Amino acid sequence: MPESENRSVILDSVCKSFGEKIVLKNFSLKIPYGSKTVIKGPSGCGKTTLLRILAGLIFPDHGTVTGTQGKKTAVLFQEDRLFPTLTALENVSAVVPGNSKKEVAAKILTELGLGDPENLNSYPAQLSGGMKRRCAIARALAYDADIVLLDEALKGLDAENAENCARVIHSYTADKTVVSVTHLDTSLEKDYQKVVMPMNTF
Amino acid sequence: MRSADRNTGANPSPDNTLKKWEKPHLPKPVTAVFSAVVTFSVWILIWQIAYANIGISFIFPSPYQVVVELLRLLPQKKFIISVTGSMLRVILGYLIGIAASVAASFASHFFLPLKIFFSPFVKIVRATPVASFILICVLWMPSEAVPVFIAFLMVFPVVYENTLTGLSETPVELKEVASVYGFSRRQKLTLLYIPSVAPYFASACTTSLGLAWKAGISAEVLCVTRDSIGYYIYISKQYFETASLFAWTVAIIVLSVLLELAIKKSVGALQRAVRRKYAGK
Ligand SMILES: Nc1ncnc2c1ncn2[C@@H]1O[C@H](COP(=O)(O)OP(=O)(O)OP(=O)(O)O)[C@@H](O)[C@H]1O
Ligand SMILES: [Mg+2]
């Protein structure tokens, strides 16, 4: 086994179907630790499914995923999935390990333009769509993860915020393994390794 | 605000003329009280008419006789003691029932064999007439304990099943977030489970208190529990003191309404406290 095999996340001939619908067929991909990968493909081609397999939320029908065991994984879900009973600050601080959770959370939120106390103490229902997205991004970055999985990371953000969020994501994930899936061309992924995921037509 | 459509019309009418549908109404509470008084009076009237037609007061007393009897009972020591005794027994059984059923439902949710184990128990308790349970229990336990146990038995299935429903409706999306970010047990409890269970738990608490109260008093009647409302109902029936039977029943209804108010207030306060404690606001 070559050295690099021990230092990568490897998807080997992964197959996944939902009932009759085949979503992934013999999908293989090597993602070296610390690398940045973007997987691009049309809506419905199985990007979210792939990300869920990487996150260990669902399992492939056939094939194997190696290199994710024992690694901490942060997921920025395609939907924001914030806790409605927590404020923006609490949603983020909930995933921060160790002490000074609030400070760490507030710092990231501030960098993403939500540093105003009014925003920090708002519940998700009181935030705009783009604010919720930034809060979800902050949560994914605040977690002390080895692997960061991003699903349509900059969804619903205006150009200025998208640019800033991309910069903040880069700075927080410099030494992490990042897999981003999207159907758009965004500035976030311009230096990422590109993988094209075609629409399955089986 | 009743003036909402004033700003929207193409032809705004001057402010001092009210449109037809803007006629001033009586404030809500006044209408509510008024309709309650009317409804109440109509029913009392029906009662009075029934009494006049039956004409045998030891079978069917008049509203007046019942009020007189109730006023005679109210200041008596036995009334205070029996009301207190009945309430304490039912509330004790109720609280034990809530604690046990919440614990059982959480355990069942996470451990399927327990759910299977409790399933026949809950079904049987729901399907069996309370009287059967009461008469069986008299054989096994002292008459003071039966109302407590029966109240417990009424509460358990209702709170158990409602709590389980709440738990099963915990959003999968948020469960996935909790698992991805390695939430602690405590975080899962306060962020996932308590918010989903709370509305079901609150309504189950209210519903089951009424059940427990009625069943508890039935138990007192059938077991002739000393110092209880049920005991005096039993005695009234034995001596054909129908007015007294009615008066005790009125007391039970009034207390039931008061208990329901109290539980609604407590559950509301509890929910607010939980929200404040776990949601930081
Ligand atoms: N739990 C599921 N049950 C049934 N079908 C599913 C399930 N999850 C995904 N699918 C199907 O799998 C296919 C791929 O879905 P997926 O969400 O992975 O697409 P996607 O590439 O993320 O699309 P989008 O860009 O629109 O988010 C779709 O046809 C979808 O209907
Ligand atoms: Mg998707």
Side-chain angles (χ1 to χ4, degrees):
Chain A
M1 188 185 268
E3 171 97 344
S4 68
E5 304 261 306
N6 289 331
R7 304 221 205 117
S8 308
V9 175
I10 296 168
L11 292 148
D12 185 17
S13 321
V14 166
C15 300
K16 182 74 194 178
S17 315
F18 295 102
E20 294 288 281
K21 168 126 188 125
I22 301 167
V23 180
L24 298 174
K25 192 165 183 188
N26 291 326
F27 188 91
S28 299
L29 182 66
K30 189 164 136 186
I31 305 160
Y33 288 159
S35 70
K36 316 283 180 267
T37 308
V38 56
I39 298 172
K40 292 201 59 182
S43 178
C45 71
K47 303 180 298 290
T48 298
T49 305
L50 182 71
L51 223 56
R52 292 170 62 74
I53 290 175
L54 283 170
L57 291 169
I58 53 173
F59 298 95
D61 302 331
H62 299 287
T64 54
V65 182
T66 50
T68 53
Q69 293 83 355
K71 299 280 171 195
K72 288 173 102 182
T73 306
V75 182
L76 172 59
F77 289 92
Q78 188 165 355
E79 320 80 30
D80 305 315
R81 301 198 184 185
L82 300 171
F83 286 89
T85 53
L86 297 183
T87 62
L89 182 65
E90 290 164 340
N91 260 292
V92 178
S93 67
V95 307
V96 179
N99 302 321
S100 60
K101 296 176 193 293
K102 294 259 145 118
E103 290 75 6
V104 174
K107 178 168 176 283
I108 301 180
L109 281 164
T110 307
E111 289 181 62
L112 292 171
L114 294 173
D116 199 325
E118 196 198 322
N119 293 328
L120 293 178
N121 297 321
S122 290
Y123 289 90
Q126 301 166 319
L127 295 172
S128 75
M131 288 170 163
K132 282 192 274 238
R133 194 57 180 164
R134 283 180 276 153
C135 184
I137 294 172
R139 179 171 69 184
L141 299 180
Y143 189 53
D144 168 35
D146 307 301
I147 302 171
V148 179
L149 305 176
L150 307 172
D151 199 343
E152 306 291 355
L154 305 181
K155 190 189 76 168
L157 296 176
D158 60 62
E160 195 181 318
N161 270 305
E163 200 61 46
N164 180 50
C165 287
R167 197 183 48 72
V168 177
I169 292 173
H170 290 152
S171 80
Y172 276 88
T173 57
D175 55 350
K176 296 179 178 179
T177 310
V178 180
V179 180
S180 177
V181 305
T182 177
H183 63 274
L184 298 166
D185 284 301
T186 67
S187 60
L188 172 67
E189 296 100 348
K190 66 178 187 296
D191 297 326
Y192 285 18
Q193 301 276 344
K194 288 186 183 56
V195 175
V196 175
M197 197 169 176
M199 189 70 169
N200 269 338
T201 46
F202 322 113
Chain B
M1 283 293 280
R2 298 189 42 79
S3 60
D5 34 26
R6 237 184 255 173
N7 316 325
T8 52
N11 266 340
S13 48
D15 270 344
N16 54 354
T17 58
L18 291 171
K19 287 179 187 161
K20 236 187 259 165
W21 59 86
E22 287 180 323
K23 269 191 198 137
H25 276 64
L26 283 173
K28 261 242 166 81
V30 174
T31 21
V33 168
F34 182 70
S35 80
V37 167
V38 168
T39 315
F40 187 74
S41 317
V42 169
W43 281 105
I44 297 292
L45 188 67
I46 292 172
W47 180 358
Q48 181 63 39
I49 292 168
Y51 165 75
N53 283 295
I54 295 168
I56 313 167
S57 59
F58 71 85
I59 290 183
F60 197 86
S62 74
Y64 177 73
Q65 287 165 334
V66 172
V67 169
V68 168
E69 178 64 15
L70 190 58
L71 291 177
R72 193 182 68 78
L73 283 174
L74 274 177
Q76 289 181 28
K77 205 168 148 202
K78 71 173 188 192
F79 182 84
I80 313 284
I81 289 176
S82 55
V83 162
T84 318
S86 293
M87 299 242 285
L88 286 181
R89 274 184 292 265
V90 169
I91 289 171
L92 179 64
Y94 172 78
L95 292 178
I96 296 173
I98 286 180
S101 54
V102 167
S105 58
F106 270 82
S108 298
H109 180 76
F110 295 106
F111 189 57
L112 187 63
L114 263 184
K115 192 168 176 174
I116 296 167
F117 170 77
F118 277 117
S119 157
F121 172 71
V122 167
K123 287 206 178 88
I124 288 171
V125 172
R126 269 186 179 275
T128 311
V130 202
S132 308
F133 277 122
I134 298 170
L135 295 175
I136 295 167
C137 291
V138 190
L139 304 175
W140 297 344
M141 49 183 92
S143 67
E144 299 80 52
V146 181
V148 179
F149 184 70
I150 292 297
F152 162 84
L153 225 46
M154 294 298 102
V155 173
F156 191 94
V158 180
V159 177
Y160 175 82
E161 287 187 333
N162 273 281
T163 308
L164 266 186
T165 308
L167 284 170
S168 72
E169 288 187 2
T170 313
V172 182
E173 302 78 44
L174 295 184
K175 275 200 228 176
E176 288 184 347
V177 173
S179 102
V180 162
Y181 290 107
F183 277 19
S184 65
R185 249 166 227 263
R186 194 189 141 83
Q187 281 177 307
K188 286 185 188 165
L189 183 68
T190 57
L191 298 178
L192 291 174
Y193 301 120
I194 290 180
S196 323
V197 162
Y200 288 92
F201 177 74
S203 83
C205 282
T206 320
T207 318
S208 61
L209 182 60
L211 290 176
W213 178 238
K214 285 185 286 185
I217 291 180
S218 305
E220 292 172 345
V221 175
L222 292 177
C223 304
V224 200
T225 310
R226 292 224 148 259
D227 294 332
S228 77
I229 298 178
Y231 177 83
Y232 290 104
I233 286 188
Y234 176 80
I235 298 293
S236 312
K237 186 237 157 203
Q238 288 302 81
Y239 295 96
F240 274 100
E241 290 168 355
T242 319
S244 154
L245 182 58
F246 272 59
W248 281 104
T249 306
V250 169
I252 294 170
I253 296 169
V254 171
L255 288 169
S256 168
V257 171
L258 292 180
L259 279 176
E260 191 169 315
L261 276 180
I263 191 68
K264 277 195 177 143
K265 282 244 183 299
S266 330
V267 168
L270 185 69
Q271 273 184 308
R272 277 191 301 279
V274 166
R275 226 172 288 143
R276 224 175 301 120
K277 173 140 199 232
Y278 295 122
K281 252 270 144 73

